[in-house]
């Protein structure tokens, strides 16, 4: 990286001397564009070193190789199979027997029966598939010097450049949402220097069978086309086409059957258009060819500069809403891969802000209105059958992808998820009826582009009918941040039907007469002594999820003034749910019985759903549960898969322990193992999260966790700096969102709040909780408080008192003192609070 790109504006006023280093803090307004780059001194040698671009629909991974450039391509509707369902009609008949076996404690027998009668016998979901690769061969470009490549996440453009035989070459690549094409621009500082050949390919199927056709059409175009794979019982039927058009200034373009040759051009622009016949989960009658041509023709009408300008403006409309400054040190002089290697040594706070913003970059690039939601790999996948098919695992992974969407000010990007949930509510209605004879809709632990709802992979992992209850929380969450009643009305039927399923599916358990979900599992974890089976009834996570789905259905109905009778029924059922329980070693019980093993390190810690993303466990409302949740999390340990560590950052933030949350960030930002599988999670050189293998949820989970360390709004107030680690002494953040329609920006020094700027979008009481007692310059608007909060968006959750085993000892809490103030706000007004330490 050259010096020009490192010009950082250091505000002299604001540098601090910490134990062993000097940390220069950059003024937030002047946060230099150069800080928002991932950059390297060598081309990618593996896919997880390549750099991702995307517009929600079209993705590419760019290797930046001077002589053999690879641009790996994705289109978000290229999935194996075709419209299909995977319900098992035998479930209904087997259900009473399965439940009986569970209540008799015959778990292994119950699990076997589920495997025979309830798990799908047709398909376990279809795979998200790569489109293929565009390969550019530059003869003689092997002895380059001055190599540099970057992904600029402030512009969403990659650049690679190098010098060959005295000529400087540069390639810029981006995926444009406004123009729906991927653009490659190759330039050189000497006329007539650009000579290369372009070809395309795609991984072959078993026995080397080709999976696509490639041809050139004499019009400076290359066309790759194919049909997606068959998988299990489902025939592949998605037709896809990628069309690549080369436009040069100077030089010539010639072609063979399958290759385009560019000779001595001054400048080259490559337009990549991709499309399929997919219309929706139930209809693949679209015309891929017409679409691919329409996108290409439209883009060709515009010049490169205009396409780039429109792309950057569109992208920045999202990206620029939030900025985060945690300080800048000399570490930024190192390339990104080095910084990841050295992060654990400390002294690189800017890598955390980069990682945070990279999470936002990935969401903007993989989830746009009109497209599919981000799957296990977002939209980036180079295989025909990627890990877990790169589909949607909804017992944590899909939800985690969307955790940053509201708090980091990207609400529109929820649209693909919301649309998927609407569709799952349609397909899942039949699943509920056919499999369980229940009303409403149900989803088990996975789905795909065809919106399958049946249980897959075997009872041990898949007998979990809770996907609808969890995904529906996201629908309501968007309302909590926006207060948009029209929107709430539009999603209420989905929320209501998700709740209706549980009204029918809950069953009374014999011991306490609680209403419980059965059969189910606490995702993928096996209770102590259960020898190979996970199945049980009334797991803690299920109880929390049912509590939440009933609660949001009730709240929505009350806000929309509808469904009185149903509300009464749900309130009755709520009373009969099991309480949370605190077991023998002071832990929050994961199951209805105390089966928790204190040495269990399982990556799923599902019973802490109540702590995050839900808000049923609070230091201020129910300290016993808060203490028990902490005991459970401590026992589970830190290092784990990528997504598990991402979740733990959020939990430690909710446990108000910034240093422990930061420890998890350090674990997550360590280099991922070199082997594709195995070992604990970490971060690849391209900053993708390693499960391992690559899984994007950890990126999003950690991004959300960083935001939760700075701001929370689920527990009766807007809590500013709830979990600030001691290493982030000074900093600032701009543009985060809080429930109740507030935009929040603030700066802190020495761990104390300095200035807060709050924009109120809905008006109403704004209650803030801050770490330091402050005197406020506009005190007429502001009063210290501890009383009832009148803003309904800050209502705290009323849960049943927990059951606590007599002999148990609870850890003490040692909560830091905080201070609360109420600001009476008007919609549209901005409130600036200067805080002075008393
Ligand atoms: C769940 C997790 C795995 C993995 C898979 C995609 O099953 O337990 O760790 O993330 O989803």
């Amino acid at each position: 990286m050259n010096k020009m790109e490192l010009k950082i504006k250091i505000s002299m006023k604001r540098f601090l001397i910490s134990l062993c280093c000097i940390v220069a803090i950059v003024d937030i307004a002047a946060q230099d564009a150069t800080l928002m780059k991932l950059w390297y001194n060598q081309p990618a040698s593996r896919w997880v070193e390549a750099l991702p671009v995307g517009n929600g629909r079209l993705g590419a991974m760019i290797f930046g190789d001077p002589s053999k450039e690879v641009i790996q391509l994705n289109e978000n509707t290229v999935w194996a199979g075709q419209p299909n369902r995977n319900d098992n009609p035998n479930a209904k008949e087997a259900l009473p027997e399965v439940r009986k076996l569970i209540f008799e404690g015959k778990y292994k027998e119950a699990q076997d029966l589920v495997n025979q009668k309830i798990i799908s016998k047709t398909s376990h979901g279809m795979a998200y598939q790569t489109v293929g690769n565009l390969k550019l061969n530059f003869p003689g470009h092997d002895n380059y010097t001055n190599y540099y490549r970057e992904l600029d996440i402030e512009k969403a453009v990659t650049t690679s450049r190098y010098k060959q035989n005295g000529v400087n070459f540069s390639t810029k690549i981006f995926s444009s949402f406004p123009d729906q094409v991927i653009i490659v621009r190759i330039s050189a500082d000497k006329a007539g220097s650009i000579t290369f050949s372009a070809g395309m390919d795609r991984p072959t199927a078993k026995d080397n069978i080709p999976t696509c056709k490639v041809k050139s059409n004499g019009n400076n175009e290359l066309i790759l086309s194919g049909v997606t794979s068959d998988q299990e019982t489902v025939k592949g039927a998605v037709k896809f086409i990628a069309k690549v058009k080369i436009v040069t200034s100077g030089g010539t373009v010639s072609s063979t059957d399958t290759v385009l040759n560019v000779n001595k051009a001054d400048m080259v622009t490559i337009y990549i258009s991709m499309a399929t016949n997919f219309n929706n989960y139930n209809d693949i009658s679209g015309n891929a060819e017409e679409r691919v041509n329409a996108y290409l023709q439209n883009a060709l009408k515009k010049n490169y500069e205009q396409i780039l300008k429109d792309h950057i403006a569109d992208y920045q409309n999202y990206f620029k809403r939030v900025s985060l400054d945690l300080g800048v040190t000399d570490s930024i002089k190192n390339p990104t891969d080095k910084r990841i290697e050295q992060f654990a040594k400390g002294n690189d706070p800017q890598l955390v802000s980069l990682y945070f913003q990279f999470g936002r970059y990935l969401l903007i690039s993989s989830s746009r209105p009109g497209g599919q939601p981000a799957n296990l790999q977002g939209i980036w996948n180079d295989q025909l059958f990627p890990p877990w098919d790169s589909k949607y695992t909804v017992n944590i992974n899909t939800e985690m992808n969307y955790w940053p969407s509201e708090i980091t000010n990207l609400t529109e990007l929820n649209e693909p998820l919301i649309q998927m949930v609407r569709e799952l509510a349609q397909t899942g209605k039949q699943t509920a009826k056919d499999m369980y004879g229940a009303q409403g809709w149900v989803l088990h632990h996975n789905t795909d582009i065809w919106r399958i709802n049946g249980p897959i992979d075997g009872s041990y992992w898949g007998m979990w009918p809770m996907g609808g209850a969890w995904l529906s929380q996201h629908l309501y969450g968007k309302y909590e941040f926006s207060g948009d009643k029209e929107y709430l009305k539009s999603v209420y039927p989905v929320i209501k039907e998700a709740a209706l399923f549980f009204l029918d599916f809950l069953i009374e358990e014999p011991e306490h007469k609680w209403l419980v979900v059965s059969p189910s599992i606490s995702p993928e974890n096996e209770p102590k002594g259960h020898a190979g089976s996970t199945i049980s009834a009334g797991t803690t996570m299920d109880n929390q999820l049912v509590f939440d789905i009933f609660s949001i259905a009730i709240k929505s109905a009350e806000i929309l003034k509808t469904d009185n009778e149903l509300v009464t029924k749900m309130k009755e059922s709520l009373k009969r749910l099991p309480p949370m329980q605190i077991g023998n070693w002071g832990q929050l019980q994961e199951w209805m019985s105390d089966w928790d093993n204190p040495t269990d390190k399982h990556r799923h810690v599902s019973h802490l759903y109540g702590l995050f993303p839900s808000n049923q466990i609070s230091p201020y409302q129910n300290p016993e549960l808060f203490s028990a949740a902490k005991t459970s999390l401590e026992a589970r340990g830190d290092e784990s898969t990528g997504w598990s560590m991402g979740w733990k950052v959020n939990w430690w933030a909710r446990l108000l322990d910034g240093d422990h949350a930061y420890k998890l960030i350090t674990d997550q930002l360590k280099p991922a193992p070199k082997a594709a599988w195995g070992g604990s999670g970490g971060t690849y050189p391209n900053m993708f999260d390693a499960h391992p293998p690559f899984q994007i949820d950890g990126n999003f989970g950690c991004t959300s966790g960083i935001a939760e360390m700075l701001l929370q709004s689920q527990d009766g107030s807007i809590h500013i700096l709830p979990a600030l680690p001691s290493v982030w002494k000074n900093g600032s953040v701009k543009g985060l969102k809080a429930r109740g329609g507030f935009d929040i920006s603030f700066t802190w020094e020495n761990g104390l709040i300095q200035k807060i700027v709050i924009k109120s979008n809905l008006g109403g009481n704004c209650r803030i909780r801050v770490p330091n007692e402050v005197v406020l310059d506009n005190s007429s608007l502001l009063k210290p408080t501890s009383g009832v909060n009148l803003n309904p968006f800050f209502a705290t959750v009323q849960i049943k008192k927990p059951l606590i085993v007599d002999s148990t000892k609870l850890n003490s809490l040692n909560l830091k003192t905080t201070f609360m103030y109420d600001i009476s706000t008007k919609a549209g007004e901005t409130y600036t609070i200067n805080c002075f330490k008393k």
Side-chain angles (χ1 to χ4, degrees), residues 360-611:
R360 297 183 67 244
Y361 168 82
L362 291 174
L363 197 62
I364 304 169
S365 305
S366 64
S367 182
R368 288 296 192 102
Q372 297 299 316
N375 63 47
L376 285 175
Q377 299 188 182
I379 49 169
W380 298 281
N381 159 40
D382 64 339
Q383 300 172 41
L384 295 179
F385 294 100
W388 291 282
D389 298 320
S390 193
K391 49 190 187 296
Y392 300 97
T393 310
V394 300
N395 65 13
I396 172 62
N397 317 80
T398 306
E399 289 87 352
M400 184 175 280
N401 284 1
Y402 286 85
W403 288 347
S405 62
E406 292 297 335
I407 188 166
T408 81
N409 211 335
L410 297 169
T411 187
E412 300 91 328
L413 308 183
N414 284 314
E415 195 273 347
L417 180 74
I418 294 168
Q419 181 58 22
M420 177 166 87
V421 181
R422 287 182 202 277
E423 292 170 359
L424 286 165
Q426 293 164 9
T427 52
K429 209 169 155 75
Q430 193 179 329
T431 310
K433 183 159 164 270
D434 291 357
M435 288 190 59
Y436 303 122
Q439 57 179 341
W441 68 280
V442 65
L443 168 65
H444 296 84
H445 94 303
N446 254 266
T447 190
D448 62 12
I449 200 168
W450 313 114
R451 311 305 185 226
I452 56 158
N453 302 68
I456 67 161
D457 289 354
S459 176
Y460 194 96
W461 306 271
M463 187 58 260
W464 187 74
M466 309 306 293
W470 195 348
L471 284 173
S472 298
Q473 304 306 318
H474 285 249
L475 272 45
Y476 188 75
K478 187 176 161 85
Y479 167 75
E480 287 184 299
F481 281 82
S482 67
D484 180 346
K485 286 193 186 150
E486 276 309 302
Y487 158 76
L488 184 64
K489 202 168 163 190
S490 77
V491 293
Y492 174 67
V494 177
I495 294 173
K496 170 180 162 179
E497 296 271 330
L500 281 179
F501 172 75
F502 289 99
L503 276 184
D504 275 6
F505 194 72
L506 288 176
I507 175 170
E508 188 181 277
E509 53 81 35
E511 197 183 336
H512 310 86
K513 315 280 180 223
W514 291 326
L515 289 180
V516 296
V517 177
S518 177
S520 189
I521 61 174
S522 183
E524 309 190 26
N525 198 12
E526 188 183 308
K528 191 169 65 183
H530 278 223
S533 81
T534 53
I535 205 161
S536 74
T539 75
T540 300
M541 182 197 221
D542 286 0
N543 306 332
Q544 293 167 343
L545 281 167
V546 176
F547 176 89
D548 274 350
I549 189 64
F550 283 162
S551 299
I552 64 168
I554 292 168
K555 277 192 237 169
S556 306
E558 288 176 347
I559 293 163
L560 299 169
K561 302 194 178 16
T562 180
D563 285 331
N564 288 339
E565 258 174 56
L566 180 63
V567 165
T568 311
K569 263 198 206 154
M570 288 190 290
K571 283 185 173 166
E572 286 304 309
S573 293
L574 265 183
K575 283 189 216 148
R576 298 191 54 202
L577 296 179
M580 279 187 252
Q581 301 184 70
I582 298 175
N584 267 310
W585 42 283
Q587 89 285 14
L588 179 68
Q589 271 180 217
E590 180 161 359
W591 294 275
M592 200 159 59
S593 306
D594 192 345
W595 294 331
D596 299 65
N597 177 353
T599 63
D600 177 6
K601 303 286 175 217
H602 200 274
R603 61 195 179 285
H604 287 268
V605 199
S606 305
H607 47 315
L608 297 197
Y609 160 87
L611 177 65

Side-chain angles (χ1 to χ4, degrees), residues 755-801:
K755 179 177 175 180
I756 309 170
V757 179
I758 300 177
K759 175 158 187 252
S760 172
N761 296 304
L762 301 171
N765 185 40
C766 177
R767 174 166 292 185
I768 56 170
R769 187 192 279 275
V770 285
N772 45 306
E773 196 176 4
V774 291
V775 180
L776 302 136
D777 58 352
N778 44 359
S779 50
S780 63
L781 284 169
L782 242 134
K783 48 179 194 304
T785 188
S786 59
V788 178
N789 190 335
L790 298 173
N791 189 326
F793 289 100
F794 294 135
T796 50
V797 174
Q798 302 302 314
I799 57 161
K800 274 194 187 170
K801 258 191 98 51

Side-chain angles (χ1 to χ4, degrees), residues 124-145:
H124 294 256
M126 298 291 114
Y128 176 56
Q129 303 200 298
T130 182
V131 169
N133 306 296
L134 171 62
K135 292 187 166 166
L136 310 178
N137 284 316
F138 293 77
H141 282 216
D142 299 300
N143 298 316
Y144 50 85
T145 55

Side-chain angles (χ1 to χ4, degrees), residues 53-75:
V53 295
N55 68 0
R57 192 176 71 84
L58 307 177
M61 292 291 287
I62 297 136
F63 283 66
D65 191 312
S67 68
K68 291 194 164 42
E69 175 63 300
V70 178
I71 301 166
Q72 183 266 314
L73 301 169
N74 288 110
E75 200 275 0

